[in-house]
Amino acid sequence: MKPKYKQVKRMTAFMRLNHWVVAFSMVGAVITGLYIGHPYYQTLIAEPAVMKYVMAWNRWVHFMIAIIFDVSSIVIAYLYFFSRFEKPYKKIIPTAGNIKEFFEVIINLVMLNRRKKFDSTHSDSFNTVFFLLFHLMLAWMLLTGLQLYVHGLESGLSSIGSWWPWMLHLVTDWTLPVSSWMIGSTATGTNIMDVRIVHHMTMWFILSWVAFHIYYQVWRTIFWKEGDIGIVVSGTKFVKEKEA
């Protein structure tokens, strides 16, 4: 007799929309960011890139995407605590139950699903912490990116007033010493190049995160047989009734 499955809602329509907005924005941010760091193409036309503002367009698109990430991050941070669907912060509190579940999920992964002693009906502690790391890296990218941006406003003025550069300095200047500490160049003083380097390095950490994220979703779909890969499309998965 085949086991009975029940359909479980895992993502709301807004969560799925936000997921794909972030995914496609990230592709655009990586492409334009790589060009800003190392211009690897001009255009298919023989006219010099500088005459067609290729760098300027890349910087503009990169900045617009950063604004989308800003809005997305603020919304996600709000939903972490006040979502009416589920509140992820409850899964990252280091309680005995969450810690046990966190390691049980790791054991499940390492043992190729031979042992599964946690409820996969809803988001588990491991996956929640994993996504928390992603959101923290995204926030770091946003702050270091804004520091690189405000560094170009040396006059302290902008088209919308002096309050904008002032606010950006207030929010992001702390990334200068932190970046120098991460690079290990504190002896020579803080400098904007350290921020640029850690901004670039963090991109590769995020891409590594994305690679494991995709792998893990496919892995769960194959081993758990609950249709996890379809969550970002339909918002639901299927769980055996006896395990729910």
Side-chain angles (χ1 to χ4, degrees):
M1 179 179 179
K2 294 183 178 180
K4 293 183 179 179
Y5 286 83
K6 70 173 184 177
Q7 192 172 13
V8 179
K9 187 175 182 180
R10 289 294 303 270
M11 293 180 78
T12 63
F14 176 80
M15 292 167 71
R16 281 175 277 153
L17 175 64
N18 187 72
H19 173 275
W20 290 113
V21 167
V22 169
F24 287 114
S25 297
M26 188 176 299
V27 173
V30 169
I31 293 173
T32 54
L34 286 174
Y35 181 84
I36 294 169
H38 180 72
Y40 56 90
Y41 75 90
Q42 291 189 335
T43 65
L44 297 176
I45 305 175
E47 186 180 1
V50 68
M51 301 297 292
K52 288 173 287 189
Y53 308 105
V54 177
M55 175 62 81
W57 278 112
N58 272 273
R59 289 174 61 87
W60 183 84
V61 172
H62 197 74
F63 188 64
M64 290 299 108
I65 290 173
I67 293 175
I68 295 174
F69 275 143
D70 273 329
V71 175
S72 173
S73 298
I74 293 171
V75 171
I76 290 174
Y78 175 84
L79 294 178
Y80 245 73
F81 298 96
F82 305 108
S83 173
R84 297 173 63 181
F85 178 68
E86 64 179 13
K87 296 178 174 58
Y89 84 91
K90 293 183 178 179
K91 283 290 184 179
I92 59 177
I93 298 175
T95 63
N98 285 341
I99 293 174
K100 180 181 179 182
E101 183 182 64
F102 179 87
F103 287 106
E104 283 293 343
V105 176
I106 294 178
I107 293 172
N108 174 259
L109 176 61
V110 173
M111 297 184 66
L112 302 178
N113 199 42
R114 291 186 179 89
R115 167 172 159 165
K116 189 166 182 282
K117 294 186 176 181
F118 61 93
D119 184 8
S120 60
T121 307
H122 300 289
S123 184
D124 56 74
S125 297
F126 174 80
N127 219 29
T128 307
V129 171
F130 185 59
F131 269 89
L132 177 64
L133 292 176
F134 172 69
H135 293 139
L136 291 176
M137 287 193 292
L138 209 56
W140 174 249
M141 288 293 276
L142 293 171
L143 292 167
T144 52
L146 288 173
Q147 170 60 216
L148 294 172
Y149 166 73
V150 76
H151 182 72
L153 303 175
E154 295 181 358
S155 64
L157 299 173
S158 71
S159 59
I160 56 176
S162 59
W163 65 270
W164 174 240
W166 178 84
M167 187 183 73
L168 291 182
H169 276 297
L170 179 67
V171 175
T172 67
D173 276 0
W174 63 272
T175 61
L176 279 162
V178 173
S179 298
S180 296
W181 174 78
M182 294 173 69
I183 296 299
S185 62
T186 52
T188 57
T190 60
N191 62 82
I192 196 67
M193 184 53 69
D194 291 339
V195 180
R196 196 180 303 279
I197 292 172
V198 297
H199 189 78
H200 184 81
M201 289 173 58
T202 307
M203 177 200 70
W204 291 109
F205 284 116
I206 289 178
L207 290 180
S208 300
W209 185 97
V210 170
F212 181 78
H213 168 61
I214 295 173
Y215 166 80
Y216 188 46
Q217 296 307 313
V218 174
W219 186 92
R220 295 199 314 185
T221 302
I222 294 173
F223 282 92
W224 292 3
K225 297 181 175 26
E226 296 176 350
D228 287 73
I229 199 71
I231 293 176
V232 289
V233 178
S234 65
T236 62
K237 65 180 287 184
F238 296 88
V239 182
K240 293 178 183 177
E241 287 190 330
K242 64 179 182 181
E243 297 181 0

